[in-house]
Amino acid sequence: MRRRILRATVVAVLCALLLFAVPLAVAVLRLYRQDEIRELERAADRAALALPTLVSEFDPRELPRLRPGTRLAVYDTRARLVTGSGPVSGDAVVRAALAGSAQSLQGGGDLVVTVPVGSAERVRGAVRVSRSGAWAWRRAAFTWLAMGGLGTLAVGAAALVSFRSSKRLARPFESLAGTARRLEGGDLTARAAPSGLSEADEVATALNRAAERLDRMLQRERAFSADASHQLRTALARTRLELESELAVWPPSDPYAAMHTALESLDHMTTTVDDLLALARDLPERTSLDVTALLSEARGRWQDDLAAAGRLLRVVVEDDLPHAVGSRQAASQVLDVLIANAAAHGRGEVTVRARDAGEVLAVDVEDQGPGLPEAQDVFARRPAGEEHGIGLTLARSLVEAEGGRLFVSRRAPCPCFTWLVPPAEPAGPRV
């Protein structure tokens, strides 16, 4: 990138110099020729004024002093050379001067000027002054050398400025390339720093957002195995308990009913795996949530299990609930985690209540247990081997991904978890 900027700048400056210098060089040469001709005209006029009435009686010593290299000749009315340096017989410019008009031309490499002597009514002769045109070329050559030197300095200055500018412009993009290489190598903590260049900062911001999104997605993918295993272990344990209970009865009851129940549990586990995979990959779309239907389905999944343990599941849905949006799969998983937590670690009746919390839908899940320790963070992920807390960690991550909140609204007695469902699109980015 640096070489391209440097090369483009130097080429642009050279083109600009050529477009400006060539016409200027031609104009300089023409100007010097005009200066030479004006000087010759002045010399011819002085000589014409110094001529006597009879040109033939002119004394050459009375000729004005001329610059070296300048030739002056005096002609009579018959175009014959009287004195000075010039053609013996007057040429065309001399005859034109004898006709009464001053002439100037460039021929044979010389600059020639002729002026008539006398008045237009009575021409007494002509003065011819000439000088080599190399004088004008020599002066123009010195000027062109000076212009070339200034042009070289301009190109050098442009190259220096371009080098520094290209270095300053390329540095942010080189930093972005380094950050991209680190991300490619698996370092998702790499972030591009602001450079002050708006274009590069826009790319850096987009790259940082992409890195953050990838980091969150990978964290969710890595946590999926632990979260899914916890959810599946709960369902497998329930299915195993049902089958063992059926086998423990003698004589056995209807085995087909037990197999049908086991198949329903397996279907539920398949649905759980599909939902968790979709949530981990950020696939589900946010739609309007039918809270009544969601709570009814949750009651159908958990009522029998709690009843088998001698506990009651109560679902309360208040009237005129606020409108809520979100992922149906995520909402179903959150409800299952909260009810499963109350079933496994709580006591007595489990109550699920949907209510209006100031134009925001709130879902409370509480039981009649003794309470939660004040210092315990129930949402923190436990070390490997500890099952308790994995489900709640999953539930909070799902809720926050939907733009909502999940917290412990009451620790003791009768611990209560409250889930606030967002009424519109979440403020933060989805992960």
Side-chain angles (χ1 to χ4, degrees):
M1 180 178 179
R2 296 184 183 182
R3 292 181 179 179
R4 291 182 179 179
I5 295 176
L6 179 60
R7 184 164 54 249
T9 303
V10 171
V11 170
V13 172
L14 284 175
C15 291
L17 286 177
L18 288 175
L19 291 175
F20 178 74
V22 171
L24 181 61
V26 175
V28 165
L29 178 60
R30 290 180 178 177
L31 176 64
Y32 287 158
R33 284 177 178 172
Q34 291 175 359
D35 287 344
E36 293 288 319
I37 290 175
R38 283 195 292 270
E39 185 177 347
L40 293 177
E41 288 175 348
R42 288 192 294 270
D45 289 338
R46 289 197 301 271
L49 292 175
L51 290 177
T53 304
L54 294 177
V55 174
S56 58
E57 299 176 357
F58 176 68
D59 186 357
R61 292 176 297 180
E62 296 181 4
L63 287 174
R65 299 183 62 181
L66 303 175
R67 195 173 72 183
T70 304
R71 300 181 297 275
L72 186 146
V74 178
Y75 293 85
D76 60 14
T77 55
R78 297 181 180 180
R80 293 179 299 183
L81 179 65
V82 176
T83 185
S85 176
V88 176
S89 177
D91 51 12
V93 290
V94 171
R95 288 192 291 273
L98 292 174
S101 62
Q103 296 290 319
S104 62
L105 59 83
Q106 180 181 0
D110 289 340
L111 298 176
V112 180
V113 172
T114 59
V115 296
V117 178
S119 62
E121 293 80 6
R122 185 168 177 271
V123 177
R124 294 178 283 109
V127 176
R128 182 181 188 275
V129 182
S130 64
R131 183 183 299 163
S132 173
W135 286 90
W137 280 97
R138 192 175 297 115
R139 292 178 63 190
F142 283 116
T143 303
W144 292 344
L145 286 176
M147 292 170 58
L150 292 176
T152 303
L153 289 177
V155 172
L160 179 61
V161 173
S162 175
F163 176 77
R164 293 183 176 179
S165 299
S166 63
K167 187 176 181 180
R168 182 178 65 85
L169 292 174
R171 188 180 296 114
F173 293 99
E174 291 174 352
S175 177
L176 287 174
T179 303
R181 284 192 293 269
R182 290 175 59 190
L183 292 173
E184 181 186 14
D187 183 8
L188 296 181
T189 62
R191 297 293 183 272
S195 61
L197 185 63
S198 59
E199 293 81 1
D201 288 344
E202 290 179 3
V203 177
T205 301
L207 184 63
N208 290 341
R209 288 177 180 172
E212 291 173 1
R213 181 177 176 84
L214 286 174
D215 190 21
R216 289 194 296 266
M217 290 180 65
L218 285 178
Q219 288 178 3
R220 290 183 63 181
E221 290 280 0
R222 292 166 182 169
F224 167 72
S225 58
D227 298 334
S229 64
H230 173 77
Q231 296 297 97
L232 294 179
R233 272 198 299 269
T234 302
L236 286 172
R238 184 166 61 250
T239 304
R240 182 183 182 87
L241 179 61
E242 292 172 353
L243 293 175
E244 288 178 347
S245 299
E246 184 64 28
L247 291 175
V249 176
W250 188 262
S253 59
D254 185 6
Y256 294 101
M259 286 188 290
H260 181 70
T261 303
L263 287 175
E264 289 181 350
S265 298
L266 291 175
D267 290 339
H268 176 64
M269 283 186 278
T270 301
T271 303
T272 299
V273 171
D274 292 340
D275 289 348
L276 289 177
L277 278 174
L279 293 170
R281 294 172 182 172
D282 199 22
L283 297 179
E285 296 183 356
R286 294 171 54 81
T287 58
S288 178
L289 292 179
D290 186 350
V291 180
T292 303
L294 285 172
L295 296 183
S296 178
E297 293 173 2
R299 177 167 52 188
R301 290 192 298 269
W302 289 96
Q303 189 171 21
D304 293 341
D305 293 339
L306 288 171
R311 301 173 64 182
L312 178 64
L313 175 61
R314 189 164 64 97
V315 176
V316 180
V317 180
E318 296 182 357
D319 297 331
D320 299 328
L321 292 177
H323 177 70
V325 294
S327 167
R328 190 176 185 281
Q329 296 99 321
S332 179
Q333 291 298 323
V334 171
L335 286 174
D336 281 350
V337 168
L338 294 178
I339 297 175
N341 182 73
H345 305 288
R347 298 178 185 175
E349 181 180 271
V350 177
T351 303
V352 181
R353 177 180 290 103
R355 58 184 176 84
D356 184 354
E359 299 184 357
V360 175
L361 175 64
V363 179
D364 299 323
V365 179
E366 60 180 281
D367 61 76
Q368 297 176 344
L372 301 172
E374 289 294 335
Q376 182 184 12
D377 183 4
V378 296
F379 297 104
R381 184 176 296 279
R382 301 295 187 269
E386 294 188 22
E387 297 183 7
H388 182 69
I390 294 179
L392 291 176
T393 302
L394 169 64
R396 169 171 274 188
S397 65
L398 293 177
V399 169
E400 291 179 350
E402 295 297 312
R405 289 183 56 202
L406 178 61
F407 57 95
V408 179
S409 56
R410 185 174 62 248
R411 286 185 173 267
C414 301
C416 178
F417 289 83
T418 298
W419 169 27
L420 298 180
V421 187
E425 289 294 329
R430 295 192 62 198
V431 294

